[in-house]
């Protein structure tokens, strides 16, 4: 059983499993799925104040915090029990492109040249992590949700704003990967 779980699941199995979370949440409690709203719930729970944005009944959405904790915990369990000791397989064309930026260590899920304390405390590392974190947070708030909320929940319930947000997420990802990231890493 463990060996079967360690194998990558094909899109036609994993995709429907992710997609089935939407009807399950809607049928069992009319719940809406999204990850970024949990920061708001956590702030409303931990820092009660007179800020209008945090004055709502966060207890109705408390289940979502358990969902995130479960996803995080599941990731940790999968890392311990299902980790593949082999190096990550990367397409040869991408290996050549990344070598031009000095990235050549594929021994873990993230390149060690980018994810280490020396790099993270450099100007480039701070720009990527702090700047990127700000842009993701700002974009999630401005769009009224994150990629999971819009692209999984919103599209499956045929919401026009979610289609617009998802298209913008994709355009932003393509621009970052093909225009901005090469300049930052170069």
């Amino acid at each position: 059983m463990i060996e079967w779980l360690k194998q990558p699941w094909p899109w036609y199995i994993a995709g429907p499993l992710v997609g089935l979370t939407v009807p399950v949440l809607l049928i069992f409690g009319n719940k809406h799925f999204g990850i970024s709203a949990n920061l708001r719930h956590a702030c409303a729970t931990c820092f009660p104040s007179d800020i209008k944005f945090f004055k709502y009944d966060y207890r109705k959405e408390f289940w979502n915090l358990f969902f995130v904790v479960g996803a995080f915990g599941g990731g940790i369990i999968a890392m311990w029990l299902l980790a593949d000791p082999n190096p990550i397989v990367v397409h040869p064309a991408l290996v050549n492109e990344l070598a031009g930026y000095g990235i050549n260590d594929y021994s873990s899920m993230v390149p060690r040249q980018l994810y280490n304390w020396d790099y993270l405390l450099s100007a480039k590392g701070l720009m990527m992590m702090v700047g990127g974190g700000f842009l993701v947070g700002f974009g999630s708030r401005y769009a009224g949700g994150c990629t999971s909320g819009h692209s999984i929940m919103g599209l499956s319930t045929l919401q026009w704003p979610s289609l617009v947000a998802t298209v913008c997420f994709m355009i932003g990802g393509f621009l970052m990967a093909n225009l901005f990231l090469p300049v930052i890493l170069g």
Side-chain angles (χ1 to χ4, degrees):
M1 177 73 165
I2 285 284
E3 288 306 315
W4 178 74
L5 286 174
K6 284 185 176 185
Q7 302 303 314
W9 291 10
W11 64 267
Y12 52 84
I13 300 292
L17 286 175
V18 171
L20 286 174
T21 60
V22 173
V24 167
L25 288 171
L26 290 174
I27 291 169
F28 297 109
N30 199 24
K31 305 286 187 196
H32 291 270
F33 175 74
I35 300 297
S36 63
N38 285 297
L39 181 59
R40 180 183 183 205
H41 305 326
C43 289
T45 303
C46 298
F47 308 111
S49 65
D50 288 332
I51 299 171
K52 183 180 175 185
F53 185 68
F54 296 127
K55 285 188 160 267
Y56 67 99
D57 188 10
Y58 61 84
R59 288 175 185 87
K60 285 176 35 182
E61 302 297 329
F62 211 66
W63 69 272
N64 212 352
L65 291 172
F66 286 106
F67 189 91
V68 169
V69 169
F72 183 75
I76 290 174
I77 290 170
M79 180 185 72
W80 282 336
L81 297 178
L82 305 175
D84 186 356
N86 300 316
I88 305 299
V89 177
V90 181
H91 192 277
L94 183 59
V95 168
N96 290 336
E97 183 179 341
L98 292 176
Y101 304 125
I103 299 170
N104 53 23
D105 184 354
Y106 303 106
S107 61
S108 70
M109 290 298 288
V110 293
R112 297 207 188 275
Q113 288 88 0
L114 296 180
Y115 291 92
N116 63 63
W117 287 111
D118 291 334
Y119 185 79
L120 291 176
L121 296 175
S122 69
K124 277 186 187 180
L126 285 174
M127 180 171 45
M128 286 182 62
M129 291 305 192
V130 175
F134 173 78
L135 289 173
V136 167
F138 177 81
S140 293
R141 181 69 192 118
Y142 187 72
C146 60
T147 52
S148 61
H150 281 298
S151 301
I152 297 172
M153 187 74 187
L155 288 180
S156 65
T157 55
L158 304 176
Q159 295 181 31
W160 173 252
S162 292
L163 177 62
V164 172
T166 301
V167 168
C168 289
F169 294 149
M170 294 302 294
I171 291 170
F174 289 136
L175 288 175
M176 183 62 192
N178 294 297
L179 296 178
F180 302 123
L181 192 59
V183 171
I184 294 170
L185 293 177

